[in-house]
Amino acid sequence: MLRQTEPTTSTLQLVANDMTGIMEKLDTRELDLEDGEYDITDSNAAAERLPLTAIYHTVGFKEPTAKVFLSSPITAKILEVERFTSAQDRFNVSNQRSVSKSMPAVFKIELKHGEFTWLVKRKEKHFMDLHRDLRTYKTFMRLPLPSRSHTVKRQTVTRSEVRQMPNLPRGGGDELGREEQVSSRRKQLEDYLNNLLKMPMYRNYHATMEFIDVSQLSFIHDLGPKGLEGMVQKRSGGHRIPGMNCCGRSKMCYHWSKRWLVVKDSFLLYMKPDSGAISFVMLVDKEFNIKMDSKDTETKHGVRIDSLSRSLVLKCSSYRHARWWGQAIEGFVQKHGSAFLTDHRFGSFARQEVNIPAKWYVNGKTYMEDVADALEEAKEEIFITDWWLSPEIFLKRPVVEGNRWRLDNVLRRKAQQGVRIFVMLYKEVELALGINSGYSKRTLLHLHPNIKVMRHPDHVSSAVYLWAHHEKIIVIDQSVAFVGGIDLAYGRWDDREHRLTDVGSVTLSHMEQAGSASANMASPSNGGGAAPQTNGKGIFTVTDSLDQPKLKGQGRMKRTRFSIRRHLQKHGLAHADSDSDLENDERSGSVRSLQTGVGELFGNTRFWHGKDYCNFVHKDWIQLDKPFDDFIDRHTTPRMPWHDIASVVHGKAARDVARHFIQRWNFTKLVKPKYRSMSYPCLLPKSHTTAGEQRYQVPNCVPAKVQILRSASDWSAGIKYHEESIHNAYVHVIENSQHFVYIENQFFISCADNRHVFNKIGDAIAERIIKAYREGKRYRVYVVTPLLPGFEGDINTGGGSAIQAVMHFNYRTMNRGDHAIISQLRREMGDQWINYISIAGLRTHADLEGKLVTELIYVHSKMLIADDNTVIIGSANINDRSMLGKRDSEVAVIVEDSEMVTAVMDGQQYQAGKYALQLRLECFKTILGGHTDPSIDVSDPVSDHFYKEVWMATCARNATIYQRVFRCLPSSDVRNILELEGYLAKQGLDKEDPARAHEELKKIRGFLVQFPLQFLCEQNLLPPIGSKEAMVPMEVWT
């Protein structure tokens, strides 16, 4: 970079020429290089790489400990010499000045180091300045100064190196004459530079590094190719922080600071030279552009860089310097970062990536197990952001390895190994929510200094009272990313059994114990050298491994503290299926046997400890700082099962999820003063160019086309225009679906009236069904949503204002009022709508200490499947909060299959996607009872037989039985609050005739029940005037 201002008048040039003369007299013979003073490195040696973690250890530029270079040599080559007679000439402006005042020549130098190549431009004067600098440094190194740091510096430099220094041959000053003079000078300077770069003492000197534009961030492999770097002046301000813009654009508000700018393929940053701290990161996005006119930059020799999040103004040393920088930054980003410069499909910040290994999860059990294993594999960074995080949850259950798989223990273990862990929590309005993020933050911060936790937003200072960070993301090393609806929090862990009760403690069944004791077995502390065998029953055993103690005694009934099968899976020796952990035929005699992957578990097992055993409609969480104290009596109250969906993606798609997290982290660091300290570092996104180097992959993935979607805006991510790509994708997929759409969602609030509700998902469903009706085509829509909203309240007395407010908007979307989907369909097709759309909920029952109990299953999923080939999984509910982009922040993935399998659609053979089909089959089997009753055929999602005789029949039958046995709510027999009492006064079979009730319940299949569309239909469900719910704006509920 051209640091010093250029001589523009002949006087200055005379001075410069004089200086060159003086400089030359200082170059004496003794500085000639002799053989043996070179840094001899084998250029063919395996290239070592600087790890990404180097970004967390940057030091001041003049510190001798700064780690900059790789072990390979650096070579320089002068490509060309630019010469212009005057500044105006270069840009073809009419020339009034005399031509004699020619401008100094600029040498364009190409440098190579390992896998990196970059260009710098330097004038002869810069060579002279560097040489003078190095001479001073050399003299300084010879003096035995008394300071300790100087002694260290001197000791690290070999004596011979201090003696030697390359000679800078005498040149004719900046004004080079004839061509041959130029080419010989070029060769001289090239040799000088190459010699200099071979000597570690001079190469590692900060002035040399600045001369060749390198810093501690130049050669980090995962940050991609090396772009432009150099010292600049940057102007303060220009951020897009909602509610915090500088009044007026007067010069008074600004101050200039000296910073080292680094340009990479998808971002740029600047560092403070004195401390090496990365103080600002700007991600390249669709608004990224560079302006060099003084009217745009409002400064002389300025360069203005705009993006969605900031308008950054830099000041260069001259006109040519500013031009070269502006063009170089633009050129580099266009070449390497073009993927980020445009808007992508659905208006997303991320493009669709192909051949991405992806996997889905139905329910928290398999999800949390894979999360635990992936966290265990982390080597550099872990990013976590959740709406709610409970540090004490167990990721693998039942708990048979002590606290090893408790979330806080896993994170502490990784932090102790040097992994950097960054957690962002939603900072709730404490009056409205009891999730106690303050406790979660304190608990995590106390674990280890490598764990950093931020909370956002500050509701008072940011004026964001109503909206939440709702996304649930876990990213490991920026190359594995979990995205979905499952927070790492209480109540979320569940499996396909959806148990209501949890009283006993864990014991393995007799069969499993006999099997485990019959083989000589290794203890779980060591998996080294174990080889799998099968003992005929399909149970894996382990042959003698090293000299571990063995369990003896054929068939002796002991409680086994751990499972062989889990142990083998942990070391990759036994196969565990991705969707359902190892089904086997040997069943124990329990009523509902339990497939856990730790063998058959016997008796009533303890899965949910303390606060994890919950029923939040019955009672909201309290005292979260006492994680292992029950707050619900598990002997009288059933838990509320949790049905949820998540996914994992890898490679470039995971890089995009990480990029979103990084954008939010850096934005939060900027807006909350307490996070500005250096202990909360800025995060840097890894380059897409290295995304293929996958060190760890979650097992049993399917390659697919994946695109990351999000809801983000100024308050949540600091971007100028909001993004609602999830909403756009939902509408697009519904409009373009051919056969069916299957939706599971925690909310169903849609159908725009453009007054209270604005998202268009419900309208897209209605329009697509009307299109099918008019064309006479078969088309189905399945919607599964919770029977009641997840707010504390007693439904026996009407549920309370919060539950009713959400019910109002749910019903307004389904069947009440002119905008509702069913109302729109009725106007077009009368009662035929029933052949096109089915809305259902989930419910289950159990025997709790001799008493029959029932409870709804809380559907928390946010998923859409279309045509068995397209899936959207994420954190976004079907409501305005999640979908509009300006409200809650959300992340989702859209997965489109690239691997096809033969399936059935409407009685015909059909090419279905592997990912989407397997996910739909798992969901359908779980909720229709196909896992326990193999006669239930769910292969064809649209045929009349399936829709009417399996889906609708199961819905109706289950709902009728539950109502007869339990008189449960919500029910279509209760149309207003007055009818509630009478309905509840009549006893169900569970009280009148328990034996008959048991018989009836045997006819239940799966969990699916019809949604009670007429429940409280004569009641106004909006919050009554005067209630606290009526005080908050309507948008809270939509």
Side-chain angles (χ1 to χ4, degrees), residues 361 363-375 393-397 405 407 410 474 482 486-494 612 642 644 646:
Y361 300 94
N363 297 318
K365 174 187 185 295
T366 50
Y367 174 73
M368 289 186 187
E369 281 169 6
D370 273 3
V371 165
D373 291 336
L375 289 172
I393 61 159
F394 290 95
L395 298 176
K396 294 191 180 187
R397 306 179 198 189
W405 296 111
L407 178 59
V410 176
I474 301 155
F482 293 87
I486 307 176
D487 286 306
L488 295 178
Y490 294 134
R492 270 63 174 171
W493 189 96
D494 212 334
D612 220 352
W642 189 278
D644 217 332

Side-chain angles (χ1 to χ4, degrees), residues 222 356-359 361 367 369-385 472-484 647-659 661 686-687 690-701 706 708 893:
D222 270 325
I356 299 291
K359 178 179 175 180
Y361 300 94
Y367 174 73
E369 281 169 6
D370 273 3
V371 165
D373 291 336
L375 289 172
E376 203 58 41
E377 292 292 330
K379 294 284 182 283
E380 297 164 345
E381 298 169 323
I382 294 168
F383 300 159
I384 300 174
T385 178
K472 299 103 176 48
I473 304 172
I474 301 155
V475 186
I476 286 105
D477 292 342
Q478 299 195 34
S479 56
V480 181
F482 293 87
V483 175
S647 69
V648 67
V649 294
H650 298 75
K652 289 183 177 177
R655 290 274 199 275
D656 289 336
V657 178
R659 191 179 182 82
F661 180 96
K686 285 188 180 181
S687 170
T690 61
E693 300 161 15
Q694 195 74 38
R695 215 181 30 73
Y696 171 74
Q697 187 175 311
V698 174
N700 306 307
C701 286
V706 174
I708 307 302
V893 294

Side-chain angles (χ1 to χ4, degrees), residues 297-518:
T297 61
E298 300 172 357
T299 185
K300 199 177 176 193
H301 311 322
V303 176
R304 180 172 128 199
I305 308 170
D306 287 338
S307 76
L308 282 172
S309 54
R310 185 173 183 185
S311 189
L312 173 66
V313 178
L314 308 174
K315 185 156 54 178
C316 301
S317 58
S318 70
Y319 183 70
R320 283 164 85 188
H321 185 188
R323 283 277 149 178
W324 146 244
W325 267 45
Q327 288 159 356
I329 294 171
E330 194 149 26
F332 185 78
V333 170
Q334 289 284 357
K335 181 178 172 188
H336 297 285
S338 56
F340 303 98
L341 290 171
T342 53
D343 228 346
H344 298 285
R345 187 177 62 156
F346 311 130
S348 170
F349 75 107
R351 68 177 173 190
Q352 187 184 40
E353 302 292 353
V354 296
N355 204 22
I356 299 291
K359 178 179 175 180
W360 48 260
Y361 300 94
V362 178
N363 297 318
K365 174 187 185 295
T366 50
Y367 174 73
M368 289 186 187
E369 281 169 6
D370 273 3
V371 165
D373 291 336
L375 289 172
E376 203 58 41
E377 292 292 330
K379 294 284 182 283
E380 297 164 345
E381 298 169 323
I382 294 168
F383 300 159
I384 300 174
T385 178
D386 273 334
W387 178 79
W388 182 24
L389 184 145
S390 314
E392 297 85 6
I393 61 159
F394 290 95
L395 298 176
K396 294 191 180 187
R397 306 179 198 189
V399 178
V400 286
E401 289 184 74
N403 285 340
R404 178 175 171 78
W405 296 111
R406 213 172 83 183
L407 178 59
D408 52 359
N409 283 22
V410 176
L411 294 180
R412 182 195 290 124
R413 189 159 64 238
K414 295 315 290 182
Q416 285 165 349
Q417 291 166 15
V419 175
R420 302 274 171 158
I421 299 170
F422 302 97
V423 183
M424 268 190 295
L425 299 176
Y426 162 55
K427 186 174 184 180
E428 75 282 12
V429 181
E430 285 165 24
L431 293 170
L433 279 171
I435 56 178
N436 202 339
S437 62
Y439 168 76
S440 303
K441 176 179 174 178
R442 287 191 301 278
T443 309
L444 292 171
L445 287 176
H446 284 145
L447 295 173
H448 194 275
N450 274 352
I451 301 176
K452 306 291 179 197
V453 186
M454 286 185 183
R455 294 194 300 159
H456 185 257
D458 269 342
H459 299 276
V460 179
S461 64
S462 63
V464 181
Y465 291 101
L466 307 177
W467 313 133
H469 286 298
H470 192 245
E471 60 225 47
K472 299 103 176 48
I473 304 172
I474 301 155
V475 186
I476 286 105
D477 292 342
Q478 299 195 34
S479 56
V480 181
F482 293 87
V483 175
I486 307 176
D487 286 306
L488 295 178
Y490 294 134
R492 270 63 174 171
W493 189 96
D494 212 334
D495 60 12
R496 61 161 70 135
E497 308 263 330
H498 290 314
R499 291 174 199 73
L500 289 182
T501 61
D502 187 37
V503 276
S505 57
V506 179
T507 336
L508 285 172
S509 72
H510 301 302
M511 181 219 69
E512 187 87 11
Q513 284 176 0
S516 57
S518 65

Side-chain angles (χ1 to χ4, degrees), residues 609-626:
H609 295 258
K611 296 291 184 288
D612 220 352
Y613 186 94
C614 57
N615 184 327
F616 43 90
V617 173
H618 168 79
K619 183 180 184 183
D620 225 331
W621 280 275
I622 50 165
Q623 293 183 316
L624 289 171
D625 49 347
K626 297 178 182 159

